[in-house]
Amino acid sequence: MNQLAVVFPGQGSQSVGMMASFAESAVVRNTFAEASDALGQDLWQMVADGPAEALSQTVNTQPVMLTAGIAVWRAWLEAGGACPALVAGHSLGEYAALVAAEVLDFRDAVKLVRFRAEAMQAAVPAGMGGMAAILNLSPELVAEACAEAAQGESVSAANLNSPVQIVIAGHAGAVERAMEACKARGAKRAVALPVSAPFHSTLMKPAADLLAERLASVALSEPKIAVLNNVDVKVETSAESIRDALVRQAYSPVRWIESVEAMAPRGISAVLEFGPGKVLAGLVKRINGELAVEAVTDAEALARVLPQYQ
């Protein structure tokens, strides 16, 4: 079915027990075993038993979410699910999309996202940066508020998630000022997020530089499935362009609204979210209500959705 797109979530959708329904799936357990072997750490035990604090640490969340997304992807294919015409991922989820498209080897990707997480965590000292969700304010007014609030520091849109949800990131003080500036412009709410670093802000440039060095030694293949990237909302095919986009993605906004808007013109009529949580499914519905959307979060959802796409 060439009208199908598959999307993979990023950080924030993780929870202890999130893969419990797949406990008897050999392909899922083998995927976790492969990732655990690559990292020398038992990811399945962390997902199954926690603690939640360990699962929520960026250095663990990134490889865990990648592994969960690919585990569901492999379970889908093994069950006879249709191969999509397009894949995409939100932030970290883009790495899962690249694995699904056979651009990145899975073991390489697991180690790469662990490195990415470590570099991001180290780029900004604890407490120096922050992120906040702005609700019910246009991207233009959010940008205006950030410009007013910067005052020599850095704050900007980090995740353009939906027309009514934009996440900002930057220096902690600038983020606080921008939250007030957004509320003054009519934002329904401005909520500080409990994150460990100001992801997708210019403060991540040092992490991106390290990521560029690491990516230079990682083999990339030509995509077997079109991958719509976050940073340019483009489908790239050359290894050089894909590497460049991944590097810039670390310190640039996730353009999710535009990514979803770009799907229908490419012939996409249905979108499946693979992995724990239903965050992206909800965002897709808000951005384009014409798309058929399902979240394949567990074994039951996979069994229910599968007959529609075989």
Side-chain angles (χ1 to χ4, degrees):
M1 179 172 291
N2 62 4
Q3 296 176 311
L4 177 65
V6 167
V7 297
F8 297 91
Q11 288 183 237
S13 291
Q14 72 278 358
S15 63
V16 175
M18 66 188 187
M19 302 300 291
S21 68
F22 288 108
E24 302 304 315
S25 168
V27 68
V28 168
R29 295 296 295 266
N30 288 341
T31 300
F32 270 83
E34 188 179 349
S36 298
D37 182 64
L39 295 180
Q41 179 184 17
D42 190 340
L43 298 187
W44 183 265
Q45 183 181 27
M46 181 183 297
V47 167
D49 303 326
E53 294 77 15
L55 186 61
S56 295
Q57 290 174 3
T58 296
V59 294
N60 292 326
T61 307
Q62 294 204 19
V64 160
M65 287 300 296
L66 168 67
T67 303
I70 293 305
V72 176
W73 166 257
R74 289 176 173 178
W76 172 265
L77 294 181
E78 184 182 68
C83 188
L86 180 76
V87 289
H90 188 284
S91 184
L92 164 70
E94 188 166 306
Y95 288 79
L98 289 166
V99 173
E102 298 183 34
V103 174
L104 262 173
D105 173 77
F106 176 55
R107 289 177 68 94
D108 286 345
V110 170
K111 290 185 280 190
L112 183 61
V113 299
R114 166 61 59 83
F115 178 86
R116 176 181 184 262
E118 290 170 344
M120 286 179 152
Q121 194 64 68
V124 179
M128 181 178 159
M131 299 183 78
I134 309 299
L135 305 183
N136 284 38
L137 193 65
S138 72
E140 293 76 19
L141 287 176
V142 171
E144 188 181 286
C146 287
E148 176 189 294
Q151 298 178 21
E153 293 186 316
S154 173
V155 61
S156 58
N159 299 337
L160 298 156
N161 285 336
S162 81
V164 296
Q165 185 193 109
I166 295 170
V167 174
I168 60 174
H171 287 103
V175 169
E176 289 178 12
R177 292 191 296 272
M179 290 168 66
E180 295 306 314
C182 285
K183 285 190 280 190
R185 284 166 171 77
K188 183 178 179 180
R189 291 180 70 198
V191 184
L193 299 178
V195 295
S196 55
F199 304 117
H200 299 292
S201 73
T202 56
L203 299 184
M204 289 290 105
K205 188 67 168 61
D209 292 341
L210 293 173
L211 186 60
E213 291 178 21
R214 182 64 174 259
L215 272 164
S217 63
V218 176
L220 301 182
S221 303
E222 189 171 326
K224 299 287 179 64
I225 305 168
V227 182
L228 190 66
N229 70 28
N230 288 177
V231 70
D232 300 316
V233 195
K234 285 177 62 178
V235 172
E236 300 286 7
T237 56
S238 75
E240 182 181 356
S241 297
I242 292 168
R243 281 193 184 92
D244 176 63
L246 286 177
V247 171
R248 288 184 291 116
Q249 187 224 49
Y251 62 87
S252 301
V254 176
R255 296 164 63 183
W256 193 249
I257 301 171
E258 294 168 87
S259 296
V260 174
E261 289 174 341
M263 290 180 183
R266 297 183 67 91
I268 301 300
S269 59
V271 179
L272 301 181
E273 178 179 7
F274 280 10
K278 301 179 180 180
V279 172
L280 297 188
L283 295 179
V284 171
K285 288 176 184 176
R286 291 190 195 102
I287 296 166
N288 185 346
E290 300 297 312
L291 293 169
V293 185
E294 295 273 6
V296 183
T297 59
D298 53 33
E300 291 75 17
L302 192 153
R304 175 175 51 80
V305 174
L306 184 67
Q308 305 170 52
Y309 300 100
Q310 285 182 302

